Amino acid sequence: MDRLRFPVDPWRLVETEFSRKDIGVTETLFAVGNGYLGLRGNVEDGHDAHAHGTFINGFHETWKILHAEEAYGFARTGQTIVNVPDPKIIRLYVNDEPLLLSVADLVSYSRVLDMRDGVLSRDLLWRTPSGNRVRVRSKRMVSFAQRHLALMTFEVTLLDEEAPIAISSQLLNRQAGLDEYRANPSPDVIADPRKAEKLEARVLEPRLQHAEGDRVVLGYQAASSGMTLAAAMEHWVDFEDDYDRVTEVEQDYAKHVFRARAKPGQTFSLTKVVSYHTSRVVPARELADRCNRTLDRVRSEGIGTQFEDQREWLTDFWKRSDVEIEGNDGIQQAVRWNLFQLAQAAARGDGHGIAAKGVTGSGYGGHYFWDSEIYVLPFFTYTSPVIARNALRYRYRMLGAAERRAGELAQNGALFPWRTINGEEASAYYAAGTAQYHIDADIAYAIDKYVRATGDDDFLAREGIDILVQTARMWADLGFWRRVAGDGESFRIHGVTGPDEYTTVVNDNLYTNVMARFNLRCAAGSVRKLQDRWPEQYSRLVSRLGVTEHEVQEWERAADGMAILWDEQLGIHPQDALFNEREVWDLANTPADKRPLLLHFHPLVIYRFQVLKQADVVLALFLQGDDFTAEQKKADFDYYDPITTGDSTLSGVVQSIIAAEVGYEDLALRYFWDSLYVDLGDLHSNASEGAHVASAGGVWSALVYGFGGFRDQSDVLKFDPRLPDGWDCLTFRLTQHGTRVRVSIAPEDVTFTIEEGPGLSVEVRGERFSLTQLQPLTVPLDGQGPRLPGAPDATAFHGTVRADGTVIRPSLPANVNDDVPPTHEINLDEIAERIQD
C-alpha cells in the first residue's frame, strides 16, 4: 500500500488523495454494509465510478443457463445478485458549477472508514473555477442495529463569497448496472469466471412510485425471479435561511433538489435516510409500508440515536472479536479491516447465506459457496455465535432443494449446490462445480463446530440433525465397497472434485474422503446423542426421516473403512488415486503473465498436470489434523506446497496455518501477508469486484489457529503457539459455552483471562488447566515450536521414481516454453541406482 496516500492508523482506513486510477479498488475498500444491505464506496457525485453498486444479500435475478451441449442433470437456473436502486448520489452545484472529483481543484481531501463507528466520512476543500473555496463534509452509514437502514449526511460551507448552491439527492435505478454517463467498459478479452454475469434485459419492473413531502418510495419486482423490493428515502435540512425544494419521481428515478443562497460561513446540512425491504413473495406495496415504518422510527428516535446505536453495536463486536498485535499498527490496521469486512458481510444476514464478496460487489454473482462454512463461520462461531447460527439456518432452509438435487444426480439424501443463492445449483461447469460433493461435509463440519462450541443442542435437535443425516445418506450411497488383494476391503468414493479446481472428477480425493469420513461419524454420533439424551427429539427424527439403527451402523462402518490413500514410494498422501501419475507443472519457469492459470490455459491442459489452484490435501491436514501424524503433515506439506499456485485467495491462509505448525515460520508469515493484503493491496488484481470475504475469515484463522496454535477437534480448547519472531504479543478472544476467554501469547508464555462467563478448561501442549474468573492464568512456553529455514525445496522430488517406475520431472505446456524437457520417461539407470541404494 502507498502509505503516503493510505497512512497507518490502527482503527481507521484513511485516504488522503483521490485517484481515478484505482477507483474500482477503493470503491471496495471503502464500502459499507451490514450483511443485508451494502453500499460500494462510490463518490457522491455519481460521475466518477468503476462500478456503481448497491446490493442486498440474496436479492437476485434468475435466468436460464444455455449449455452448448445439453445433458441430463446440468444446472438449469443461473442466479445473479441485482444492483438495486442507488441512494448514494448527492450532487453539489455552486454557481451552477458541479463538483466532479476527477477534475475539481481540491485544496485538501480526506476519506476515512472508521471501524469503531462503522461510518465512512469524507472531508474536502474545493476551490471552484471562480476561486470560491467550499468545504464539503459527508458521512455514510449502513446500520448494524437497524437491518434495513442506511444514513447519509452532506454539509456544504462556503468560505469566501456568497453564492447560489444546489444539492440534488437521488434514488436511481440503473438498469443492469448501466452507467448513465458513459457506456459500460468493453468486455474483457479473456473471460473471467470470477465476475458476475451481465444481464442485458430489464431486471427490475416498476410496481409503484410515490412522493409525499420529504419522502419518496419506489417499488419493483424482478422480472424472472419474482423477488420484490421497495426503497424509500427521506431528507431533513438544517439551514438558517430560506431554501426551496423540487421533487421529481419517475419509474426509475426519484430526486429532491434543494436550492439556496449561502453566505460565507453558513453551513447547509442535508440528512438523507434510506430504507430497503425485500421479499420472495410479499408485494412491493406491502414492502413500501415496511420502509415507511422504518423511516418513521428513525424520525421518532432521531439521527443521533442511530449513530450512537452503531457505535454501541461495534463496541460490543470488537469486545468479542478483536485480534491485537502489539507493536505494529500497520498489521493491526489490516487485521481490523479484514475482521470488519466479516461483520459487513454477515452480521445482519439474518438467515441469508454469506456471499463470496459479501455486499461489497457483484463478483461471483453474489453466490454462496462452501467458503462460508470453512473460512468464515469459525470466526463467528467463536465470537458471534448468533451470526453463525443464522448462516447455518440458511443451509437448513435450503435442505429441500439439496434433497431434490441429490435425486437429480441419482443419489439418496441431500447434495448441496456448489454455488447458489436460492438453493439451486448455479454452476454451469459441473467438473469444477457440481462435482465438489465435499460441500456436504463442509456444512456438516460447520454444524459440528458450532454445536460443540456453543452447546446449542436445540439447533442440533431441530434443524442441524436433518442436514447431518441427509448428507451422511448421500456419502453412504455415493461410495462403494471394494476389496483389494492383500489390503482388505475399503470404502471408496469416485468421480468427485476436491477443493483444488485444477484437478477435477477424480477417484478417492483425499480431502473428500477425509471429510466424508468425518461427516458420517458426526451424523452417527449426533443421532446417538439424541437417542440417549433427548428421546422425544429422537422419536421425531425417526418419524421425520425414517432413520434406523442399521443405517447408523452402516455410516460408522463406511467411515471406519474409508480409503485414505498413501504412496509408499513418495511417502505422502496422494491428492487422488491418479494424481501422482500426472506430470508436474514447472511453476518456477511459468511466466508471470500466464498467471492465474485458469485465465490462460484450457482446463484440459491444466488437468493433465500436478498443479494446484488451492490447498487440498493441506486443507485436510488442518481441518482433520488429529487424523495425521506430525511427520505426515510435514511430508505432505513439503510435497504439495511447491506445486500450489496460489491462484485462489482461499489457499494462502491454510498454507500459512500448516507452515506454522510444521515449523516454516518465514513461509507462514509470507502467506499471511499475502492473505492480509489481498484486497488492501489488490494482490490478485480483482479487488474491484468486491472484498474476498473467505480470505478475510482466513486471516482470523491464520492468526488464531496458525500463530495462536489453537485446535478444537475435541471439547477442550487446545493451544500449541507459533508466535512469529519479532512479535511482542498476539491477543485474541474465544467464546465457548458462554465463557469468553482472552488469550495473550508472548514469546515466553501464554496468558488466559476470563472476560465473561464462569470458566472453562484449556490444554497447553498436552497439559490441562481449569480457568476461572478469580485470576488470569499464565503458562510458560518452551519456545514457539519447531523452526525450519526457508520453504520446502521445490526440486526435492524432481528425479525421484514414482510407483509406476517413471521419473518425476517438471514441465510446461508447449505454448509456454518451446524448450520443454522430455517427461514421463523411464530412466532405467536411475531406477537401478535407487534399487542399489
Side-chain angles (χ1 to χ4, degrees):
M1 297 183 70
D2 179 355
R3 286 306 187 182
L4 292 176
R5 183 178 167 205
F6 300 100
V8 170
D9 186 302
W11 279 107
R12 305 183 308 160
L13 181 65
V14 180
E15 180 188 40
T16 62
E17 179 183 350
F18 174 78
S19 173
R20 273 200 54 86
K21 293 180 180 179
D22 61 351
I23 194 169
V25 175
T26 56
E27 285 171 2
T28 293
L29 299 186
F30 290 97
V32 289
N34 64 6
Y36 171 74
L37 171 64
L39 309 179
R40 278 179 65 79
N42 302 113
V43 298
E44 283 86 343
D45 63 57
H47 293 80
D48 298 302
H50 168 80
H52 297 284
T54 300
F55 302 104
I56 294 176
N57 189 357
F59 189 81
H60 67 280
E61 179 63 310
T62 57
W63 41 278
K64 183 179 179 180
I65 298 175
L66 300 177
H67 298 275
E69 296 185 15
E70 288 286 355
Y72 179 81
F74 276 11
R76 299 296 175 198
T77 305
Q79 305 139 49
T80 301
I81 194 169
V82 173
N83 207 328
V84 301
D86 184 3
K88 300 185 297 292
I89 303 170
I90 305 177
R91 297 188 176 121
L92 171 64
Y93 303 82
V94 177
N95 259 336
D96 295 329
E97 295 293 337
L99 171 60
L100 303 177
L101 292 194
S102 56
V103 298
D105 181 1
L106 298 179
V107 179
S108 63
Y109 171 92
S110 174
R111 180 162 57 161
V112 177
L113 177 64
D114 192 311
M115 294 171 282
R116 290 167 299 187
D117 293 338
V119 174
L120 175 67
S121 59
R122 190 183 70 177
D123 190 333
L124 61 87
L125 185 59
W126 169 40
R127 182 183 286 110
T128 69
S130 63
N132 199 355
R133 292 176 303 151
V134 182
R135 172 75 66 187
V136 183
R137 292 189 172 106
S138 63
K139 291 183 179 180
R140 184 184 299 170
M141 181 188 85
V142 176
S143 175
F144 287 109
Q146 294 205 40
R147 182 176 187 240
H148 302 275
L149 178 67
L151 296 175
M152 284 146 274
T153 66
F154 195 82
E155 297 180 353
V156 180
T157 306
L158 275 60
L159 301 184
D160 297 317
E161 301 174 1
E162 179 178 333
I165 65 171
I167 300 174
S168 176
S169 180
Q170 303 180 16
L171 184 62
L172 176 62
N173 177 37
R174 295 182 176 90
Q175 280 302 307
L178 290 173
D179 189 317
E180 68 271 33
Y181 291 100
R182 56 181 65 85
N184 280 359
S186 59
D188 298 328
V189 175
I190 300 174
D192 190 339
R194 299 168 296 183
K195 295 186 177 183
E197 293 284 343
K198 296 295 185 183
L199 300 176
E200 301 299 333
R202 184 179 183 94
V203 175
L204 296 180
E205 297 179 342
R207 289 293 180 264
L208 64 91
Q209 311 91 42
H210 178 70
E212 183 176 350
D214 290 330
R215 186 177 298 184
V216 296
V217 182
L218 299 179
Y220 299 92
Q221 183 170 21
S224 182
S225 72
M227 295 195 72
T228 51
L229 159 78
M233 71 174 179
E234 183 171 6
H235 295 87
W236 304 336
V237 172
D238 182 7
F239 185 61
E240 60 188 32
D241 285 342
D242 294 335
Y243 68 92
D244 60 39
R245 183 193 69 223
V246 177
T247 301
E248 294 183 30
V249 180
E250 298 179 7
Q251 288 185 342
D252 293 318
Y253 180 75
K255 74 175 179 181
H256 282 140
V257 179
F258 300 91
R259 298 179 299 193
R261 189 165 189 89
K263 302 180 179 66
Q266 280 186 317
T267 298
F268 189 100
S269 298
L270 178 69
T271 299
K272 183 176 187 176
V273 187
V274 185
S275 177
Y276 291 85
H277 283 263
T278 55
S279 176
R280 293 179 183 271
V281 295
V282 176
R285 63 179 180 276
E286 183 175 334
L287 297 179
D289 292 339
R290 298 180 187 180
C291 288
N292 283 322
R293 285 195 292 270
T294 299
L295 297 186
D296 289 343
R297 184 166 60 251
V298 173
R299 177 176 285 277
S300 174
E301 295 173 351
I303 293 297
T305 299
Q306 312 312 316
F307 285 105
E308 291 169 7
D309 289 348
Q310 183 85 334
R311 177 73 181 229
E312 183 179 342
W313 193 98
L314 281 165
T315 296
D316 192 46
F317 170 79
W318 290 115
K319 188 185 299 183
R320 304 186 310 269
S321 313
D322 196 16
V323 179
E324 301 162 71
I325 298 96
E326 287 187 12
N328 194 318
D329 285 347
I331 299 176
Q332 188 68 77
Q333 178 189 45
V335 166
R336 285 182 174 137
W337 185 88
N338 278 274
L339 300 186
F340 187 66
Q341 295 314 304
L342 296 175
Q344 294 201 135
R348 297 308 309 275
D350 295 7
H352 288 294
I354 303 171
K357 299 294 185 181
V359 285
T360 64
S362 61
Y364 290 111
H367 293 159
Y368 315 133
F369 295 80
W370 63 281
D371 314 3
S372 303
E373 281 74 22
I374 297 302
Y375 293 91
V376 179
L377 286 194
F379 166 74
F380 288 118
T381 291
Y382 284 108
T383 62
S384 302
V386 170
I387 299 174
R389 190 182 200 274
N390 284 335
L392 291 172
R393 291 200 70 248
Y394 156 76
R395 292 296 190 184
Y396 175 74
R397 288 173 44 232
M398 299 303 162
L399 181 58
E403 291 168 343
R404 293 190 295 273
R405 183 60 174 162
E408 290 177 351
L409 273 70
Q411 303 298 157
N412 293 331
L415 178 58
F416 283 90
W418 178 64
R419 64 186 299 171
T420 190
I421 298 177
N422 64 10
E424 299 179 30
E425 177 63 79
S427 174
Y429 187 59
Y430 71 87
T434 298
Q436 293 199 43
Y437 284 51
H438 65 81
I439 188 172
D440 269 19
D442 301 331
I443 295 170
Y445 175 85
I447 291 172
D448 178 70
K449 185 185 290 287
Y450 167 77
V451 171
R452 285 191 295 105
T454 63
D456 188 356
D457 291 327
D458 176 70
F459 169 76
L460 173 66
R462 293 193 300 108
E463 298 177 336
I465 191 65
D466 289 39
I467 296 178
L468 296 178
V469 166
Q470 293 296 67
T471 53
R473 283 175 168 167
M474 193 282 297
W475 293 119
D477 183 51
L478 178 66
F480 62 96
W481 291 95
R482 172 167 290 179
R483 182 175 296 278
V484 179
D487 195 29
E489 195 175 36
S490 61
F491 192 76
R492 304 293 181 123
I493 298 174
H494 285 186
V496 298
T497 298
D500 171 34
E501 295 160 27
Y502 284 173
T503 313
T504 66
V505 194
V506 299
N507 297 342
D508 292 318
N509 168 255
L510 181 91
Y511 177 87
T512 301
N513 285 18
V514 167
M515 293 299 289
R517 178 173 63 183
F518 163 81
N519 194 163
L520 290 162
R521 287 174 174 168
C522 180
S526 298
V527 169
R528 298 198 188 285
K529 180 178 179 180
L530 261 62
Q531 188 175 18
D532 293 341
R533 302 184 189 179
W534 299 281
E536 182 179 347
Q537 291 290 358
Y538 174 74
S539 297
R540 291 178 178 175
L541 172 66
V542 171
S543 174
R544 192 165 63 243
L545 296 180
V547 178
T548 66
E549 174 62 24
H550 174 74
E551 184 179 25
V552 174
Q553 291 175 358
E554 282 299 306
W555 299 344
E556 293 171 324
R557 179 170 174 261
D560 292 341
M562 187 69 67
I564 306 299
L565 304 185
W566 177 257
D567 187 319
E568 291 286 353
Q569 193 78 17
L570 298 176
I572 63 166
H573 290 95
Q575 184 169 299
D576 60 70
L578 298 179
F579 188 81
N580 291 352
E581 296 182 15
R582 298 183 178 93
E583 302 311 318
V584 178
W585 191 293
D586 189 356
L587 283 178
N589 291 306
T590 301
D593 62 1
K594 295 294 185 180
R595 306 282 289 273
L597 302 186
L598 79 161
L599 298 186
H600 299 279
F601 298 92
H602 190 282
L604 288 176
V605 175
I606 299 174
Y607 296 165
R608 296 184 185 113
F609 286 83
Q610 291 185 48
V611 63
L612 279 64
K613 181 182 178 187
Q614 61 204 66
D616 196 301
V617 171
V618 172
L619 181 57
L621 301 179
F622 168 50
L623 298 183
Q624 299 298 313
D626 288 352
D627 293 347
F628 303 91
T629 67
E631 293 75 19
Q632 289 173 340
K633 289 179 182 179
K634 182 179 183 303
D636 286 342
F637 186 80
D638 285 351
Y639 187 85
Y640 289 104
D641 185 72
I643 59 174
T644 303
T645 62
D647 287 350
S648 169
T649 60
L650 300 181
S651 199
V653 290
V654 175
Q655 289 170 277
S656 176
I657 292 168
I658 298 301
E661 181 176 351
V662 302
Y664 291 111
E665 178 207 7
D666 292 341
L667 184 61
L669 273 171
R670 193 186 81 195
Y671 282 133
F672 173 68
W673 302 138
D674 289 346
S675 302
L676 185 65
Y677 289 99
V678 69
D679 288 318
L680 290 167
D682 193 22
L683 300 185
H684 283 241
S685 301
N686 66 344
S688 58
E689 303 303 311
H692 291 82
V693 175
S695 181
V699 165
W700 182 86
S701 291
L703 289 165
V704 174
Y705 288 103
F707 302 138
F710 170 54
R711 293 296 183 271
D712 56 357
Q713 288 177 257
S714 68
D715 291 332
V716 176
L717 308 184
K718 298 181 179 181
F719 298 87
D720 186 2
R722 298 290 192 271
L723 190 71
D725 289 342
W727 286 29
D728 297 331
C729 186
L730 168 66
T731 299
F732 53 88
R733 284 93 176 152
L734 299 169
T735 300
Q736 184 186 52
H737 289 221
T739 293
R740 185 172 73 238
V741 58
R742 183 173 73 245
V743 185
S744 296
I745 298 170
E748 298 83 16
D749 54 48
V750 54
T751 299
F752 301 94
T753 306
I754 299 297
E755 293 186 333
E756 186 177 275
L760 49 76
S761 295
V762 298
E763 189 176 295
V764 180
R765 294 179 177 170
E767 187 175 358
R768 184 168 295 193
F769 303 90
S770 295
L771 306 179
T772 67
Q773 286 188 332
L774 296 178
Q775 60 182 9
L777 171 70
T778 298
V779 180
L781 296 175
D782 182 14
Q784 294 291 331
R787 287 291 197 254
L788 300 173
D793 182 2
T795 66
F797 290 90
H798 297 172
T800 58
V801 181
R802 313 177 215 238
D804 64 359
T806 60
V807 177
I808 296 176
R809 298 187 189 281
S811 61
L812 289 169
N815 68 325
V816 179
N817 185 346
D818 291 334
D819 300 323
V820 181
T823 63
H824 206 68
E825 62 185 29
I826 298 177
N827 188 327
L828 297 179
D829 292 337
E830 195 166 346
I831 293 174
E833 290 177 6
R834 292 184 179 277
I835 292 175
Q836 291 174 357
D837 291 342

